[in-house]
Amino acid sequence: MKFQIVVDSSADILVNEFNNSNCKVNVAPLTIKIGQKEFVDDANLNVDELLKTMAESKEKQTTSCPSPEVFANLFREADYTFCITISSKLSGTYNSALLAKNIVKSENKEVAVIDSKAVAGVARLMVLDIMKYLDEGKEFLEIVDIINNTNYNLLFVLSSFDNLIKNGRMNKFTGMVASLLSIRPLFCAHNGEIKLIKKIRTLTKSLESLVDEMPNLSPKFSEVVITYCNNLETATKLATNIKNKYANVNVSLYPTRGLTTFYANKDGIIVSFR
């Protein structure tokens, strides 16, 4: 294969989900450990079992990124690889992919490691864009440059902040305030980090604020990906509200996989757009 896209499993993409003659998509799974129990974030993961174990366990809960060897083996499957990772400020996955790039450099494999500066749907939007540009006949490095200069955004609303706080992904004070006051604050991805936008009391108001905030981050957005954790009804209603408020916007919905389930937890909503 000449071209491929490699994402880590925080993208909520399954192997063989995309069918394109010009390019295949591979997934490097992260691992979730709860006490002595380990969940590999691949197509075989049972998300309901993961949620149940998270809720019932009092033991330490952590995640680990794919090793450089995992990435290197994937990079060997194509001449040119676009590798999209979770934000480098939230995980060591980006650095692991960079090490793998150096491993295969002597094997005449061209690899571009792209820091999504986000998670979930942003990576999916990047995959869709790369495939479109390949179909248009654009060159490898030209596509990398376009992706790195495209305005991708992410907003999210969660009901639990436990794993984000415990694993150092969120400012401890911000997370504790949200948890203690039982509010539903609106957050965004800002330069690869989590940023609080507004403190809001209810889920309904928070999602309304999310919809209103979208054009402030991307005035002419046209593609939206909603990622949801065991709350399809809420996600569907949100999609309808977005389409009713903004003309000519395409909205798609996808359930969270392992890594995003671990951090978003039950009832989490992540909205990615460009």
Side-chain angles (χ1 to χ4, degrees), residues 117-263:
K117 299 181 180 178
V119 69
V122 167
R124 181 179 290 274
L125 290 172
M126 288 181 170
V127 168
L128 293 171
D129 287 347
I130 289 170
M131 287 187 162
K132 180 185 73 172
Y133 296 138
L134 284 173
D135 288 342
E136 292 173 357
K138 288 183 168 56
E139 297 295 324
F140 180 70
L141 292 179
E142 180 186 8
I143 294 173
V144 173
D145 185 62
I146 294 172
I147 296 298
N148 281 327
N149 288 283
T150 298
N151 183 24
Y152 298 97
N153 291 281
L154 182 147
L155 292 163
F156 66 94
V157 177
L158 307 181
S159 61
S160 171
F161 310 91
D162 290 351
N163 284 330
L164 282 172
I165 298 168
K166 291 174 183 176
N167 289 279
R169 301 322 192 249
M170 174 183 281
N171 178 282
K172 188 171 183 179
F173 176 76
T174 300
M176 290 299 291
V177 167
S179 298
L180 292 171
L181 296 179
S182 298
I183 62 175
R184 290 294 188 95
L186 176 63
F187 293 93
C188 73
H190 178 70
N191 292 327
E193 296 183 306
I194 295 172
K195 179 183 177 182
L196 174 65
I197 297 180
K198 294 178 182 177
K199 297 177 183 178
I200 305 170
R201 286 288 179 184
T202 67
L203 175 62
T204 299
K205 291 293 184 183
S206 192
L207 293 178
E208 288 176 359
S209 182
L210 185 154
V211 175
D212 292 339
E213 188 70 26
M214 293 173 74
N216 294 334
L217 298 178
S218 181
K220 296 182 179 180
F221 69 92
S222 59
E223 194 74 29
V224 180
V225 173
I226 298 176
T227 313
Y228 60 93
C229 185
N230 273 24
N231 52 349
L232 177 58
E233 183 177 350
T234 299
T236 302
K237 183 178 179 181
L238 176 61
T240 300
N241 292 342
I242 291 172
K243 287 187 283 189
N244 287 342
K245 189 174 180 67
Y246 304 109
N248 303 315
V249 172
N250 183 55
V251 183
S252 53
L253 290 80
Y254 299 92
T256 56
R257 295 297 303 160
L259 193 282
T260 44
T261 294
F262 181 78
Y263 285 115

